[in-house]
Amino acid sequence: MRKRILWKDAWQAITDSLGRFIAILMLMIVAVFTFIWLKMTGPDMRSSAINLFKNNNLADITVLSNHGLNQKDKQKIEKQSDIKLVEYSYLMDSTVNNSRRSLRIYSESKKISKAMLTKGNLPKANNEIVISYLLQDKYKLGQKLTLDNHSSLKHKKFTVVGYVRSSEYLDKLDTGQTNVGTGQLSGFAFIKKSAFKSGTTTGIARITYKKTAKMNPYSTKYSNYINDKEKDLKKELDKNISAKENKTKNKIAEINDSLTKLNVIVAVKPEYQSQIKQLESAKAKLEHLNKPSYTVNTRDEFPGYENYRSNAERIDVLSNIFPVFLFAISALVSLTTMTRFVEEERINIGTMKAIGYSNFDVAKKFIVYSMLSSTLGVILGAWGGFRVLPGIIFEAYAANSTMTGFRSQFSLVWLILGLVVAWACTTLAALYALKKDLKDRPAQLLLPKPPKKGSKIFLERITPFWSRLSFNHKVTFRNLFRYKTRMLMTIFGVAGCTGLLVMAFGIRDSLSGISKNQYTNIIKYDMIAVKNSNPSSKQNTDLLDELDSNSVKRYKQIHFTTLNRNLGEDKTKQTINVIVPKANTDLSKYINLMSSSTGKKLKLTNNGVIISEKLAQLTNSKVGHYIKLKDTNDKWKKFKVSGICEMYMGHYMVMNKQAYKHYFDKEYKTNGYLITTKSGKLQTVSEKLMATGAIKGINQNVNNKKTIDNLINSLNKVILILIAISTILALVVIYNLTNINVDERMRELSTIKVLGFFDKEVTMYIYRETIILSILGILAGYLVGIWLHSFIITTLPPVNAMFDPNMYISNFIYSALIPAVLTTVLAFIMHKKIKDVDMLDALKSVE
């Protein structure tokens, strides 16, 4: 019977203080929900991707050559060790229906990087085609497509029979570059292999390896293994370059020989004149072919692959910071709450000890109360963290990705850790507060706890200041220092919430300005156009005509090349864009080189290079240091850093002609242009430049801007959720601490009401302290938030981007406004509670 009464008392404690129970429950829900959500979202995103890659047998490496892949190339590829599968496919790029829209046409892949059918069916006839599902609003099932470049195909017109996804294309907006149309691919398509004419040169080789089947494709181990394979394969394939060059020269010699013979025949038989024209056309194409080269790509080069990996890693960064502060705040507030609970139960504790209950029996009520509230909070928070929010965040990122098939996972480790921390925040806090009372004798516990002795505070010793204070203000300051624990808990609680808000709003601000800053203040050109290595005189003339047309605002000749280096924690291959202007004059009209530290303009020197800020950070480079990077032949080169420029997206190196000659040991020669087009003319200019035949590739800044905007939009959704969580936490913290303050001083408040204080005066008597502590907490929170923001913006951005480090006044206003509004709203709630207090009951003797 005695035990039943004990348990009944424990359950009754919950109903008698339901508000406190719910407050602890909410603290645990918010903390555990955020902890598990942030810890699970990154792994869930990676797991979903890995499952997709496995189901479609995504290639580990792809190989392409601008001259196609011949038998000797295939021998080099297949000679590698550890190969599991190799599949060869044809490919070609073509504009569609005589429009700007261009597609990359592959022959159907049956074993590696298989296409995922989303609607319709795969091609069954040589004149059938399936296209990217992203183009289904442009081309309907059954519609006829005319491929403008069809010389390698058996048919010119194809019927759309289905839509597909490809795991090699994960970016919805950037499909890659091409040498037709505007220079930017609109999508991809698949046709039957037999739809290509016999004798067509193989376009692409897809390779998978045995060892990678058991590796996590997002692991450093996988990256290192594939990077080594890529390096070795490229080295072997490059040995075939001279043979391909000789083959081209031999073909030209054969054509010249045939032309010589035909010219003799044409003198007698003029009808053979057309054959001469054909041979001359073939000769011209061969003469203007670029030097043979091989492109060996890992998965990192697949459009959207690296962005998706980066997005998942951004969540991982937040998961190591945000939950720590949430649990710290929850622990502090829970300790205050449970300490107050124990103090309220002091006389009951004494009664139970007096009638013979053991210390453990006495503690049961507090153990049940704290464990039940925290466990329920963990269960509800974990459910949302495991099942609800990771899927929502995945969808937010999937809005810019073709990734599908989200898989939510369960982690017993994170659940147990969340439960242990929650119990530590509540149950251990209760037992700590109970420890002293359990040591006291029942006779002591049955007496009310004596009030704290009054003592002079520091401010009272400053007589000129203290003497000018009113009675109410003197009481406020005395009470603040009288209840030091509650004062510190309130300051820490509000500071923690404000700090998280400052961090969240700061990240949002750091994201919002970089796109405009990058492509308005720093990068001012619209595109980089790179020339073919050996254009004809007519192609050059046509190119210059287009550059001087009314659609082009200005252009500047440059030499453009790329360097690379494996950087970041994952040592992923990063491309560095090298820009060498023909003349240094008016360069600022195209790219604004400003010092990232001083804001001053940087000048190009004859013995140094200017590099972008993120590249400097990743390589630990400073002005005067040397930076080592690999060229396109995989050879290391060393450059002296003469300046570090502000740059938020991509890696850049800028140097003048003299520095280029020095570091590359070759004569300077222009091979491209920085081009600024007139408003609305970007795609028109791109199309016309490609049509000249002198341009082999165009990089439009609009695509880079889309990449930044996608990153910003996805992260903004995460940040908004973190702001909402911080706001809820602030509400629970301020309510709980204010409620405790009112409850434990109810006799004091009743006394001053009896002495004649009006209701509003009584509320302000106690709420004046809350306002002061909240202000102090907000100011302390600013410092916490500034530190958090500084840490996050250096670790959160992807390896090829930076965030704006500046913090804006609006951030601090919003971060202060939220707790201030919550404090004001809760003041009205507390005012009603104080107003409804029965003074006689509150002042009854408890002896």
Side-chain angles (χ1 to χ4, degrees), residues 226-235 630 634:
I226 290 299
N227 287 339
D228 289 341
K229 285 292 183 184
E230 175 201 17
K231 182 180 177 182
D232 293 343
L233 182 55
K234 180 74 163 58
K235 188 177 180 180
K630 287 184 179 180
D634 216 30

Side-chain angles (χ1 to χ4, degrees), residues 1-15 352 357 360-372:
M1 178 62 72
R2 289 174 60 192
K3 298 293 182 182
R4 285 180 61 187
I5 293 173
L6 193 67
W7 286 109
K8 184 177 180 182
D9 182 50
W11 290 112
Q12 193 172 354
I14 296 173
T15 57
M352 286 192 285
Y357 281 109
F360 179 69
D361 286 335
V362 172
K364 279 180 182 177
K365 174 194 292 189
F366 304 98
I367 293 173
V368 169
Y369 189 97
S370 59
M371 289 193 75
L372 187 60

Side-chain angles (χ1 to χ4, degrees), residues 64 90-96 101-107 129-132 135 147 168-169 175-180 183-191 196 203-204 206 297 301 303 696:
L64 300 98
Y90 300 124
L91 73 82
M92 53 164 282
D93 294 347
S94 175
T95 51
V96 182
R101 198 170 291 131
S102 57
L103 296 177
R104 178 154 292 168
I105 317 293
Y106 294 95
S107 62
I129 189 170
V130 290
I131 60 175
S132 168
L135 297 173
L147 301 183
E168 289 186 354
Y169 291 91
T175 315
Q177 296 176 329
T178 179
N179 57 2
V180 299
Q184 311 298 313
L185 283 170
S186 304
F188 57 87
F190 294 92
I191 59 177
F196 284 84
I204 183 171
R206 294 183 173 94
N297 287 332
E301 276 73 47
K696 71 174 180 180

Side-chain angles (χ1 to χ4, degrees), residues 791-820:
F791 176 80
I792 286 291
I793 63 165
T794 57
T795 54
L796 188 64
V799 72
N800 64 339
M802 282 189 64
F803 293 163
D804 183 357
N806 295 313
M807 297 191 77
Y808 302 97
I809 191 66
S810 59
N811 172 5
F812 297 100
I813 293 172
Y814 294 143
S815 300
L817 202 58
I818 288 175

Side-chain angles (χ1 to χ4, degrees), residues 37 315 318 322 393 397 500-509 511 712-726 792 796 803:
W37 154 50
I315 305 295
L318 291 173
F322 215 81
I393 298 301
Y397 282 114
L500 292 176
L501 286 168
V502 169
M503 181 198 75
F505 279 117
I507 295 172
R508 189 201 63 174
D509 289 343
L511 291 170
I712 291 170
N713 291 336
S714 301
L715 272 175
N716 264 337
K717 292 180 174 74
V718 177
I719 298 306
L720 285 173
I721 293 170
L722 294 179
I723 290 172
I725 288 171
S726 300
I792 286 291
L796 188 64
F803 293 163

Side-chain angles (χ1 to χ4, degrees), residues 471-707:
F471 169 76
N472 285 337
H473 289 109
K474 287 179 179 178
V475 171
T476 298
F477 283 117
R478 281 200 182 108
N479 284 334
L480 284 173
F481 290 95
R482 180 183 175 194
Y483 302 102
K484 291 184 179 67
T485 302
R486 189 183 64 244
M487 175 185 73
L488 292 174
M489 291 298 180
T490 304
I491 291 173
F492 289 153
V494 174
C497 297
T498 304
L500 292 176
L501 286 168
V502 169
M503 181 198 75
F505 279 117
I507 295 172
R508 189 201 63 174
D509 289 343
S510 294
L511 291 170
S512 62
I514 62 173
S515 181
K516 181 180 179 183
N517 202 4
Q518 173 82 1
Y519 293 108
T520 301
N521 301 330
I522 300 173
I523 300 293
K524 298 181 179 181
Y525 60 84
D526 294 322
M527 69 172 85
I528 295 178
V530 181
K531 292 174 67 177
N532 284 318
S533 59
N534 192 22
S536 67
S537 58
K538 183 181 184 307
Q539 288 172 334
N540 271 328
T541 302
D542 291 344
L543 173 61
L544 290 174
D545 287 343
E546 292 302 331
L547 290 172
D548 292 327
S549 70
N550 292 331
S551 298
V552 175
K553 191 174 182 179
R554 66 176 72 94
Y555 67 92
K556 186 174 186 65
Q557 287 185 287
I558 62 165
H559 178 83
F560 179 82
T561 187
T562 59
L563 300 168
N564 68 82
R565 182 168 164 179
N566 294 334
L567 296 169
E569 290 183 7
D570 294 327
K571 297 298 179 185
T572 53
K573 186 176 180 179
Q574 297 297 306
T575 299
I576 295 92
N577 297 312
V578 180
I579 296 175
V580 189
K582 185 176 181 180
N584 296 345
T585 55
D586 76 353
L587 180 62
S588 59
K589 291 181 180 179
Y590 300 89
I591 181 168
N592 198 5
L593 299 175
M594 293 187 301
S595 168
S596 57
S597 56
T598 65
K600 293 181 179 178
K601 286 192 175 183
L602 299 173
K603 292 183 179 179
L604 297 176
T605 62
N606 294 342
N607 59 354
V609 300
I610 295 173
I611 62 173
S612 51
E613 187 175 358
K614 188 60 182 273
L615 179 60
Q617 288 181 2
L618 292 169
T619 55
N620 294 316
S621 299
K622 292 181 172 58
V623 174
H625 287 190
Y626 282 87
I627 181 173
K628 288 180 68 178
L629 301 168
K630 287 184 179 180
D631 63 15
T632 51
N633 296 318
D634 216 30
K635 293 182 180 178
W636 287 102
K637 288 192 175 294
K638 217 161 75 166
F639 305 87
K640 186 177 182 180
V641 178
S642 62
I644 298 172
C645 66
E646 183 180 3
M647 193 71 66
Y648 294 101
M649 187 70 189
H651 304 302
Y652 287 82
M653 177 184 284
V654 186
M655 66 185 81
N656 65 16
K657 291 190 295 185
Q658 288 73 22
Y660 175 83
K661 291 176 185 177
H662 173 69
Y663 290 116
F664 287 89
D665 195 26
K666 59 175 72 170
E667 284 300 312
Y668 174 84
K669 183 181 178 183
T670 62
N671 69 346
Y673 302 88
L674 302 180
I675 303 170
T676 304
T677 62
K678 292 187 178 177
S679 180
K681 297 294 184 179
L682 177 62
Q683 301 305 332
T684 301
V685 171
S686 297
E687 183 183 13
K688 288 183 176 180
L689 288 176
M690 294 302 300
T692 64
I695 298 295
K696 71 174 180 180
I698 289 176
N699 185 0
Q700 296 179 350
N701 284 338
V702 66
N703 293 324
N704 301 328
K705 188 175 185 299
K706 285 175 183 176
T707 301

Side-chain angles (χ1 to χ4, degrees), residues 350-410:
T351 303
M352 286 192 285
K353 289 192 71 172
I355 61 179
Y357 281 109
S358 67
N359 285 346
F360 179 69
D361 286 335
V362 172
K364 279 180 182 177
K365 174 194 292 189
F366 304 98
I367 293 173
V368 169
Y369 189 97
S370 59
M371 289 193 75
L372 187 60
S373 61
S374 58
T375 303
L376 281 173
V378 169
I379 291 170
L380 293 173
W383 177 80
F386 281 124
R387 298 297 175 200
V388 179
L389 211 51
I392 294 173
I393 298 301
F394 174 83
E395 290 300 324
Y397 282 114
N400 305 312
S401 169
T402 63
M403 186 65 68
T404 185
F406 177 72
R407 301 173 69 196
S408 61
Q409 302 176 98
F410 173 77

